[in-house]
CSV table of all heavy atoms in Angstrom, one decimal:
chain,number,residue,atom,x,y,z
A,1,ALA,N,4.4,13.0,-20.7
A,1,ALA,CA,3.3,12.0,-20.3
A,1,ALA,C,3.0,12.1,-18.9
A,1,ALA,O,3.7,11.6,-18.0
A,1,ALA,CB,3.9,10.6,-20.7
A,2,VAL,N,1.9,12.8,-18.6
A,2,VAL,CA,1.4,12.9,-17.2
A,2,VAL,C,0.4,11.9,-16.9
A,2,VAL,O,-0.6,11.6,-17.7
A,2,VAL,CB,0.7,14.3,-17.1
A,2,VAL,CG1,0.2,14.5,-15.7
A,2,VAL,CG2,1.7,15.4,-17.4
A,3,PRO,N,0.5,11.2,-15.8
A,3,PRO,CA,-0.4,10.1,-15.4
A,3,PRO,C,-1.8,10.7,-15.3
A,3,PRO,O,-2.1,11.7,-14.8
A,3,PRO,CB,0.1,9.6,-14.1
A,3,PRO,CG,1.5,10.0,-14.0
A,3,PRO,CD,1.6,11.3,-14.8
A,4,ASP,N,-2.8,9.9,-15.9
A,4,ASP,CA,-4.2,10.3,-15.7
A,4,ASP,C,-4.7,9.7,-14.4
A,4,ASP,O,-3.9,9.0,-13.7
A,4,ASP,CB,-5.1,9.9,-16.9
A,4,ASP,CG,-4.9,8.4,-17.2
A,4,ASP,OD1,-4.5,7.7,-16.3
A,4,ASP,OD2,-5.3,8.0,-18.3
A,5,TRP,N,-6.0,9.9,-14.1
A,5,TRP,CA,-6.5,9.3,-12.9
A,5,TRP,C,-6.5,7.8,-12.8
A,5,TRP,O,-6.4,7.2,-11.8
A,5,TRP,CB,-7.9,9.9,-12.6
A,5,TRP,CG,-7.9,11.3,-12.2
A,5,TRP,CD1,-8.4,12.4,-13.0
A,5,TRP,CD2,-7.4,11.9,-11.0
A,5,TRP,NE1,-8.2,13.6,-12.3
A,5,TRP,CE2,-7.6,13.3,-11.1
A,5,TRP,CE3,-6.8,11.3,-9.9
A,5,TRP,CZ2,-7.2,14.1,-10.1
A,5,TRP,CZ3,-6.4,12.2,-8.9
A,5,TRP,CH2,-6.6,13.6,-9.0
A,6,THR,N,-6.6,7.2,-14.0
A,6,THR,CA,-6.5,5.7,-14.1
A,6,THR,C,-5.1,5.3,-13.6
A,6,THR,O,-4.9,4.3,-12.9
A,6,THR,CB,-6.8,5.2,-15.5
A,6,THR,OG1,-8.1,5.6,-15.9
A,6,THR,CG2,-6.7,3.7,-15.6
A,7,GLY,N,-4.1,6.0,-14.1
A,7,GLY,CA,-2.7,5.8,-13.7
A,7,GLY,C,-2.5,6.0,-12.2
A,7,GLY,O,-1.8,5.2,-11.5
A,8,VAL,N,-3.1,7.0,-11.7
A,8,VAL,CA,-3.0,7.2,-10.2
A,8,VAL,C,-3.6,6.1,-9.4
A,8,VAL,O,-3.1,5.6,-8.4
A,8,VAL,CB,-3.7,8.6,-9.8
A,8,VAL,CG1,-3.8,8.7,-8.3
A,8,VAL,CG2,-3.0,9.7,-10.5
A,9,ALA,N,-4.8,5.6,-9.9
A,9,ALA,CA,-5.5,4.5,-9.3
A,9,ALA,C,-4.6,3.2,-9.4
A,9,ALA,O,-4.5,2.4,-8.4
A,9,ALA,CB,-6.8,4.2,-9.9
A,10,ALA,N,-3.9,3.0,-10.5
A,10,ALA,CA,-3.1,1.9,-10.7
A,10,ALA,C,-1.9,1.9,-9.7
A,10,ALA,O,-1.4,0.9,-9.2
A,10,ALA,CB,-2.6,1.8,-12.1
A,11,SER,N,-1.4,3.1,-9.4
A,11,SER,CA,-0.3,3.2,-8.5
A,11,SER,C,-0.6,2.8,-7.1
A,11,SER,O,0.3,2.6,-6.2
A,11,SER,CB,0.2,4.7,-8.4
A,11,SER,OG,-0.7,5.5,-7.8
A,12,LEU,N,-1.9,2.6,-6.8
A,12,LEU,CA,-2.3,2.1,-5.5
A,12,LEU,C,-1.8,0.7,-5.2
A,12,LEU,O,-1.7,0.2,-4.1
A,12,LEU,CB,-3.8,2.0,-5.3
A,12,LEU,CG,-4.5,3.4,-5.2
A,12,LEU,CD1,-6.0,3.3,-5.2
A,12,LEU,CD2,-4.1,4.0,-3.8
A,13,LEU,N,-1.4,0.0,-6.3
A,13,LEU,CA,-0.8,-1.3,-6.2
A,13,LEU,C,0.5,-1.3,-5.4
A,13,LEU,O,0.9,-2.2,-4.7
A,13,LEU,CB,-0.5,-1.9,-7.6
A,13,LEU,CG,-1.8,-2.3,-8.4
A,13,LEU,CD1,-1.4,-2.8,-9.8
A,13,LEU,CD2,-2.5,-3.5,-7.7
A,14,LEU,N,1.2,-0.1,-5.6
A,14,LEU,CA,2.5,0.0,-4.8
A,14,LEU,C,2.2,0.2,-3.3
A,14,LEU,O,3.0,-0.3,-2.5
A,14,LEU,CB,3.2,1.3,-5.4
A,14,LEU,CG,3.5,1.2,-6.9
A,14,LEU,CD1,4.2,2.5,-7.3
A,14,LEU,CD2,4.5,0.0,-7.2
A,15,VAL,N,1.1,0.9,-3.0
A,15,VAL,CA,0.7,1.0,-1.6
A,15,VAL,C,0.3,-0.4,-1.1
A,15,VAL,O,0.7,-0.7,0.1
A,15,VAL,CB,-0.5,2.0,-1.5
A,15,VAL,CG1,-0.9,2.0,0.0
A,15,VAL,CG2,-0.1,3.3,-2.0
A,16,ALA,N,-0.3,-1.2,-1.9
A,16,ALA,CA,-0.7,-2.5,-1.5
A,16,ALA,C,0.5,-3.4,-1.2
A,16,ALA,O,0.5,-4.2,-0.2
A,16,ALA,CB,-1.6,-3.2,-2.6
A,17,VAL,N,1.6,-3.2,-2.0
A,17,VAL,CA,2.8,-3.9,-1.7
A,17,VAL,C,3.4,-3.6,-0.4
A,17,VAL,O,3.8,-4.5,0.4
A,17,VAL,CB,3.8,-3.7,-2.9
A,17,VAL,CG1,5.2,-4.2,-2.5
A,17,VAL,CG2,3.4,-4.2,-4.2
A,18,ALA,N,3.5,-2.3,-0.1
A,18,ALA,CA,4.0,-1.8,1.2
A,18,ALA,C,3.1,-2.3,2.3
A,18,ALA,O,3.7,-2.8,3.4
A,18,ALA,CB,4.1,-0.3,1.2
A,19,ALA,N,1.8,-2.3,2.2
A,19,ALA,CA,0.9,-2.7,3.2
A,19,ALA,C,1.0,-4.2,3.4
A,19,ALA,O,1.0,-4.7,4.6
A,19,ALA,CB,-0.5,-2.4,2.8
A,20,LEU,N,1.2,-5.0,2.4
A,20,LEU,CA,1.4,-6.4,2.5
A,20,LEU,C,2.7,-6.8,3.2
A,20,LEU,O,2.7,-7.7,4.1
A,20,LEU,CB,1.4,-7.1,1.1
A,20,LEU,CG,1.6,-8.6,1.1
A,20,LEU,CD1,0.4,-9.3,1.8
A,20,LEU,CD2,1.7,-9.1,-0.4
A,21,ILE,N,3.7,-6.1,2.9
A,21,ILE,CA,5.0,-6.3,3.7
A,21,ILE,C,4.8,-6.0,5.1
A,21,ILE,O,5.2,-6.8,6.0
A,21,ILE,CB,6.1,-5.4,3.1
A,21,ILE,CG1,6.5,-5.9,1.7
A,21,ILE,CG2,7.3,-5.4,4.0
A,21,ILE,CD1,7.4,-5.0,0.9
A,22,ALA,N,4.2,-4.9,5.4
A,22,ALA,CA,3.9,-4.5,6.8
A,22,ALA,C,3.1,-5.5,7.6
A,22,ALA,O,3.3,-5.9,8.7
A,22,ALA,CB,3.3,-3.1,6.9
A,23,TYR,N,2.1,-6.1,6.9
A,23,TYR,CA,1.2,-7.0,7.5
A,23,TYR,C,1.9,-8.4,7.7
A,23,TYR,O,1.8,-9.0,8.8
A,23,TYR,CB,0.0,-7.2,6.6
A,23,TYR,CG,-1.0,-8.3,7.1
A,23,TYR,CD1,-1.8,-8.1,8.2
A,23,TYR,CD2,-1.0,-9.6,6.5
A,23,TYR,CE1,-2.7,-9.0,8.7
A,23,TYR,CE2,-1.9,-10.5,6.9
A,23,TYR,CZ,-2.7,-10.3,8.0
A,23,TYR,OH,-3.5,-11.3,8.5
A,24,ARG,N,2.6,-8.9,6.6
A,24,ARG,CA,3.2,-10.2,6.7
A,24,ARG,C,4.4,-10.2,7.8
A,24,ARG,O,4.6,-11.2,8.4
A,24,ARG,CB,3.8,-10.6,5.4
A,24,ARG,CG,2.7,-10.9,4.3
A,24,ARG,CD,1.9,-12.1,4.7
A,24,ARG,NE,2.7,-13.3,4.8
A,24,ARG,CZ,2.9,-14.1,3.7
A,24,ARG,NH1,2.4,-13.8,2.5
A,24,ARG,NH2,3.7,-15.2,3.8
A,25,GLN,N,5.0,-9.0,7.9
A,25,GLN,CA,6.1,-8.9,8.9
A,25,GLN,C,5.7,-8.5,10.3
A,25,GLN,O,6.5,-8.3,11.2
A,25,GLN,CB,7.2,-7.9,8.4
A,25,GLN,CG,7.8,-8.3,7.1
A,25,GLN,CD,8.6,-9.6,7.2
A,25,GLN,OE1,9.3,-9.8,8.2
A,25,GLN,NE2,8.5,-10.5,6.2
A,26,ARG,N,4.3,-8.4,10.4
A,26,ARG,CA,3.7,-8.0,11.7
A,26,ARG,C,4.3,-6.8,12.3
A,26,ARG,O,4.7,-6.7,13.5
A,26,ARG,CB,3.9,-9.2,12.7
A,26,ARG,CG,3.2,-10.5,12.2
A,26,ARG,CD,3.3,-11.6,13.2
A,26,ARG,NE,2.7,-12.8,12.7
A,26,ARG,CZ,2.6,-14.0,13.3
A,26,ARG,NH1,3.2,-14.1,14.5
A,26,ARG,NH2,2.0,-15.0,12.8
A,27,LEU,N,4.4,-5.7,11.5
A,27,LEU,CA,5.0,-4.5,11.9
A,27,LEU,C,4.0,-3.6,12.7
A,27,LEU,O,4.4,-2.6,13.3
A,27,LEU,CB,5.6,-3.7,10.7
A,27,LEU,CG,6.6,-4.4,9.9
A,27,LEU,CD1,7.0,-3.5,8.7
A,27,LEU,CD2,7.8,-4.9,10.7
A,28,ARG,N,2.8,-4.0,12.7
A,28,ARG,CA,1.7,-3.2,13.4
A,28,ARG,C,1.6,-1.8,12.9
A,28,ARG,O,1.3,-0.9,13.7
A,28,ARG,CB,1.9,-3.3,14.9
A,28,ARG,CG,1.9,-4.7,15.5
A,28,ARG,CD,2.1,-4.6,17.0
A,28,ARG,NE,2.1,-6.0,17.6
A,28,ARG,CZ,2.3,-6.2,18.9
A,28,ARG,NH1,2.5,-5.2,19.7
A,28,ARG,NH2,2.3,-7.5,19.3
A,29,VAL,N,1.9,-1.6,11.6
A,29,VAL,CA,1.7,-0.2,11.0
A,29,VAL,C,0.9,-0.3,9.8
A,29,VAL,O,0.8,0.7,9.0
A,29,VAL,CB,3.1,0.4,10.7
A,29,VAL,CG1,3.8,0.7,12.0
A,29,VAL,CG2,3.9,-0.4,9.8
A,30,THR,N,0.2,-1.4,9.5
A,30,THR,CA,-0.5,-1.6,8.2
A,30,THR,C,-1.7,-0.6,8.2
A,30,THR,O,-1.8,0.1,7.1
A,30,THR,CB,-1.1,-3.0,8.1
A,30,THR,OG1,0.0,-4.0,8.3
A,30,THR,CG2,-1.7,-3.2,6.8
A,31,ARG,N,-2.4,-0.5,9.2
A,31,ARG,CA,-3.6,0.4,9.2
A,31,ARG,C,-3.1,1.9,9.1
A,31,ARG,O,-3.6,2.6,8.3
A,31,ARG,CB,-4.3,0.2,10.5
A,31,ARG,CG,-5.5,1.2,10.7
A,31,ARG,CD,-6.2,1.0,12.0
A,31,ARG,NE,-7.3,2.0,12.2
A,31,ARG,CZ,-8.5,1.8,11.8
A,31,ARG,NH1,-8.8,0.7,11.2
A,31,ARG,NH2,-9.4,2.7,12.0
A,32,GLU,N,-2.0,2.2,9.8
A,32,GLU,CA,-1.5,3.5,9.8
A,32,GLU,C,-1.0,3.9,8.4
A,32,GLU,O,-1.1,5.0,7.9
A,32,GLU,CB,-0.3,3.7,10.8
A,32,GLU,CG,0.2,5.1,10.9
A,32,GLU,CD,1.3,5.2,11.9
A,32,GLU,OE1,1.6,4.2,12.6
A,32,GLU,OE2,1.9,6.3,12.1
A,33,LEU,N,-0.3,2.9,7.7
A,33,LEU,CA,0.2,3.1,6.4
A,33,LEU,C,-1.0,3.3,5.4
A,33,LEU,O,-0.9,4.2,4.6
A,33,LEU,CB,0.9,1.8,6.0
A,33,LEU,CG,1.7,1.9,4.6
A,33,LEU,CD1,2.9,0.9,4.7
A,33,LEU,CD2,0.9,1.5,3.5
A,34,LEU,N,-2.0,2.6,5.5
A,34,LEU,CA,-3.2,2.7,4.6
A,34,LEU,C,-3.9,4.1,4.8
A,34,LEU,O,-4.3,4.8,3.9
A,34,LEU,CB,-4.2,1.6,4.8
A,34,LEU,CG,-3.7,0.2,4.3
A,34,LEU,CD1,-4.7,-0.9,4.7
A,34,LEU,CD2,-3.4,0.2,2.8
């Protein structure tokens, strides 16, 4: 089962989680992470 492009797009939610943590904790790396 290989992820299709829809699955790849859905995995962006994981990036959003990491970005949210960086933003809420004021790590000043949110932009760099994205």
Side-chain angles (χ1 to χ4, degrees):
V2 178
D4 55 17
W5 288 110
T6 301
V8 173
S11 68
L12 287 173
L13 290 174
L14 301 176
V15 177
V17 170
L20 180 61
I21 291 174
Y23 177 75
R24 293 294 297 273
Q25 296 299 316
R26 300 181 181 179
L27 303 181
R28 298 182 180 179
V29 295
T30 306
R31 179 184 177 86
E32 184 178 356
L33 188 153
L34 293 174

